[in-house]
Amino acid sequence: MIKGDNILSEGTSSKKTVFVLNGPNLNLLGMREPEIYGSDTLDDIAGRLEDQAHDLNLEVDIRQSNHEGHLVDWLQEAAADNAQAVILNAGALTHTSIALHDVIKAIDVPVIEVHLSNPAAREEFRHKSLIAPVAKGTICGFGALGYQLALDAISKF
Ligand code: DQA
């Protein structure tokens, strides 16, 4: 299940939570340029992550917003909740957002940057990531599988 803007996690279990935050236009996955981003919807990805998290004894809290400030709030919330890690696909904000760079730097939670496509192999304006220098690591170019690779890595921290 994907949560939308302003919906907070209930946090009743003792399992550590991994926030999976998705930025602008990722709600359109499945119909958005499938030759680049694949045919899986964000719901498909969420379902697989929930199954994987269950097997890894983790919780995932999966959200999407088209608004930069919501992503900033959610990263701060991940820190306040002592989350295990954040998987972040910031979409186009990857290339522009000093606010996301700053909040990732400010919090103590490891952030894994994920992209479905390989931005380095695309237009020049996608070559620079403001997230990469403050992320624990980056996974890109493996389509939807990148989210699962990130969760697997987090389970081994
Ligand atoms: C993306 C890559 C970004 O450059 C783009 O703006 C997106 C998706 C990816 O997952 O490949 O929205 O983050």
Side-chain angles (χ1 to χ4, degrees), residues 17-141:
T17 301
V18 176
F19 282 51
V20 184
L21 305 181
N22 294 280
N25 299 310
L26 291 165
N27 55 317
L28 300 180
L29 283 182
M31 57 193 228
R32 174 191 183 200
E33 297 179 277
E35 66 288 357
I36 296 176
Y37 298 116
S39 54
D40 285 332
T41 65
L42 198 52
D43 260 329
D44 296 332
I45 294 171
R48 288 199 295 270
L49 282 176
E50 279 159 2
D51 290 348
Q52 186 186 358
H54 180 264
D55 293 344
L56 295 170
N57 202 34
L58 290 166
E59 297 269 6
V60 279
D61 186 333
I62 305 166
R63 306 180 189 191
Q64 187 278 330
S65 177
N66 292 327
H67 304 280
E68 182 178 24
H70 294 167
L71 295 168
V72 172
D73 287 345
W74 290 341
L75 282 152
Q76 291 186 12
E77 186 186 328
D81 288 2
N82 196 24
Q84 172 89 352
V86 175
I87 296 171
L88 174 64
N89 184 348
L93 293 170
T94 303
H95 316 297
T96 60
S97 178
I98 297 170
L100 287 176
H101 174 102
D102 284 350
V103 69
I104 294 167
K105 215 167 163 182
I107 63 176
D108 221 5
V109 180
V111 174
I112 316 296
E113 178 187 20
V114 165
H115 300 286
L116 296 125
S117 66
N118 176 3
R122 300 180 62 195
E123 303 96 322
E124 194 162 348
F125 63 82
R126 295 184 205 278
H127 292 183
K128 185 168 179 64
S129 168
L130 297 185
I131 309 293
V134 286
K136 183 166 176 71
T138 300
I139 296 171
C140 64

